[in-house]
Amino acid sequence: MESGLKALWVLSVVLLVSNWQHWTYGKAVPQVPCFFVFGDSLFDNGNNNYLNTPAKVNYLPYGIDFDTGASGRCSNGLNIADTIAEQLGFDSYISDFGVGSLTNFLDGVNYGSNGAGILDLTGYLTGELYTMNIQLYNHNITVSRIAKILGSEEVARKYLSQCIYVSDMGHNDYLNNYFLDDYDSSSKYTPEEYAQLLIETYETQLEKLFCSGARKIAVFGLLRVGCMPSNIQKNPNELYASSCAYKLNDDVQIFNDKLQELLRKLNKRHTDAVFTYINSYEIDSDDQTNTGFTHTRKSCCEVEPAHFTEAKAWAFGKRAYKRQSPKDAYPYDISELVKLKFDDSDAYDINHAQL
């Protein structure tokens, strides 16, 4: 009991200092103390710049509308993770993990890596990348550093339990593995079997994230990969009337269905945490997020055929943060996830809402 009260007192002091620093510089106080990002090229904010891989985009026309130029984001400007961070109230970009030398990790870290997947095998033919397992390893390094700064693992756990975590994984397990002839996955597994392999692996990974202190976790489903310009071009004989490759979309929907079942199971298993589903497949539909866009089958930067423009990232990120329909996110959207209170939430509520 005494150690718990001490941890709560230490955490209150840390958050008070953090708030004071924001107020001193005239900055808004974020809705949560930190934001951690796990993902692939949709969320990578420059981690691949440090790796020996051709899967990096630190050159123009990428970043042509970004304030510092080409940063390593697969976008002309901001990506989805950036838009969520801004809506959470962070007034500067969440730092990339890079090679682990970052110092401002108390606000959170972006571990995303272009080409990364749930399986370690995914994307290995393109060179170095941070797979989901490596991203979790890197996160454990961050957690250890936070515990050292805050003085104990107990205080760090209380701090981390108030943060928002997002994970966007699985696209490359299809695009850069199952759908490619260079890998033997499609000959070894049916679409159902492969999706189950991914889900079983992902379950272990999400459990590790929970064990590291994560309690508010938003897990993104897979997009309509069959509607990516590159996949439309590669599959001209397997297109819907809407000009999307139906076989590819059908395969990722098997994964999405199983992912929703997994999150329901995790929520029953861990009553002191929430895993919420962001329905990327629905959000990516032409009749909603794409409303107002003249060209919905073109990518961000002309030189490649897959990624969102900043405008599309904002349209997507807004619906992940604040759902427009019940189908967008469930049981909660990210803005609702922020407001959830667990047993150790009092210190953050006091310092951010009442001081």
Side-chain angles (χ1 to χ4, degrees):
M1 179 70 174
E2 183 178 347
S3 64
L5 290 174
K6 182 179 179 181
L8 189 62
W9 180 83
V10 172
L11 180 58
S12 298
V13 172
V14 169
L15 293 171
L16 178 60
V17 171
S18 174
N19 290 351
W20 178 81
Q21 290 175 334
H22 279 90
W23 295 326
T24 298
Y25 294 101
K27 298 178 179 179
V29 177
Q31 298 164 26
V32 290
C34 43
F35 178 43
F36 292 100
V37 178
F38 301 82
D40 50 32
S41 57
L42 291 175
F43 283 24
D44 183 359
N45 67 343
N47 285 298
N48 277 27
N49 293 347
Y50 305 90
L51 303 180
N52 181 20
T53 175
K56 62 180 71 176
V57 290
N58 53 350
Y59 54 87
L60 294 174
Y62 296 101
I64 193 168
D65 299 312
F66 193 70
D67 53 10
T68 60
S71 62
R73 291 166 170 81
C74 293
S75 172
N76 61 304
L78 302 181
N79 63 22
I80 297 171
D82 295 319
T83 69
I84 294 172
E86 189 168 327
Q87 291 174 93
L88 287 171
F90 291 95
D91 50 25
S92 58
Y93 302 121
I94 299 299
S95 298
D96 58 74
F97 182 83
V99 292
S101 59
L102 75 164
T103 57
N104 55 333
F105 46 77
L106 282 176
D107 283 346
V109 180
N110 186 324
Y111 304 100
S113 179
N114 185 354
I118 294 169
L119 303 179
D120 289 338
L121 186 67
T122 292
Y124 83 95
L125 293 176
T126 61
E128 293 179 341
L129 48 79
Y130 291 140
T131 65
M132 183 59 173
N133 281 328
I134 295 176
Q135 290 182 37
L136 288 167
Y137 177 85
N138 291 342
H139 182 58
N140 285 336
I141 294 174
T142 301
V143 170
S144 296
R145 291 174 176 173
I146 289 175
K148 184 176 181 180
I149 285 180
L150 298 186
S152 74
E153 291 185 3
E154 184 178 4
V155 177
R157 288 299 177 98
K158 291 178 183 295
Y159 183 80
L160 293 168
S161 70
Q162 304 309 309
C163 303
I164 292 293
Y165 300 75
V166 297
S167 181
D168 173 62
M169 277 291 184
H171 293 103
N172 288 304
D173 294 291
Y174 285 95
L175 297 173
N176 292 322
N177 189 332
Y178 195 68
F179 294 156
L180 290 184
D181 293 335
D182 294 333
Y183 294 82
D184 63 357
S185 302
S186 59
S187 62
K188 291 173 60 177
Y189 304 102
T190 65
E192 177 77 21
E193 292 169 341
Y194 188 67
Q196 187 60 34
L197 171 65
L198 294 179
I199 290 298
E200 290 173 1
T201 307
Y202 208 10
E203 179 176 5
T204 300
Q205 294 165 343
L206 292 174
E207 283 284 4
K208 288 180 179 178
L209 183 58
F210 171 83
C211 289
S212 72
R215 293 297 182 269
K216 299 181 178 184
I217 305 136
V219 182
F220 285 65
L222 302 187
L223 299 167
R224 299 169 183 244
V225 298
C227 299
M228 292 178 175
S230 58
N231 289 325
I232 293 172
Q233 295 168 11
K234 291 176 184 177
N235 300 274
N237 298 320
E238 297 182 352
L239 302 180
Y240 291 120
S242 61
S243 299
C244 293
Y246 61 84
K247 177 64 168 61
L248 306 190
N249 282 346
D250 290 347
D251 285 355
V252 300
Q253 271 294 67
I254 297 173
F255 172 87
N256 284 338
D257 290 342
K258 289 180 178 292
L259 178 58
Q260 293 170 68
E261 293 175 8
L262 170 60
L263 298 185
R264 285 191 288 269
K265 181 169 71 170
L266 291 173
N267 281 324
K268 289 181 180 178
R269 184 183 301 163
H270 301 294
T271 57
D272 58 339
V274 171
F275 295 80
T276 199
Y277 181 69
I278 306 299
N279 191 352
S280 301
Y281 196 92
E282 177 68 21
I283 294 175
D284 192 38
S285 64
D286 281 343
D287 58 347
Q288 294 190 52
T289 306
N290 288 329
T291 300
F293 289 88
T294 304
H295 302 286
T296 61
R297 292 289 175 263
K298 291 187 177 181
S299 56
C300 75
C301 304
E302 296 183 1
V303 296
E304 54 96 287
H307 297 100
F308 288 174
T309 61
E310 177 179 321
K312 180 70 178 286
W314 266 112
F316 192 103
K318 285 180 178 179
R319 287 178 65 181
Y321 178 78
K322 186 70 174 177
R323 53 186 167 186
Q324 292 182 8
S325 78
K327 292 182 179 180
D328 288 353
Y330 39 86
Y332 303 103
D333 60 34
I334 293 174
S335 72
E336 294 168 328
L337 202 59
V338 168
K339 299 173 184 175
L340 294 180
K341 295 182 181 181
F342 301 111
D343 290 341
D344 296 329
S345 65
D346 292 346
Y348 192 75
D349 292 337
I350 291 171
N351 282 286
H352 280 67
Q354 299 174 15
L355 290 176

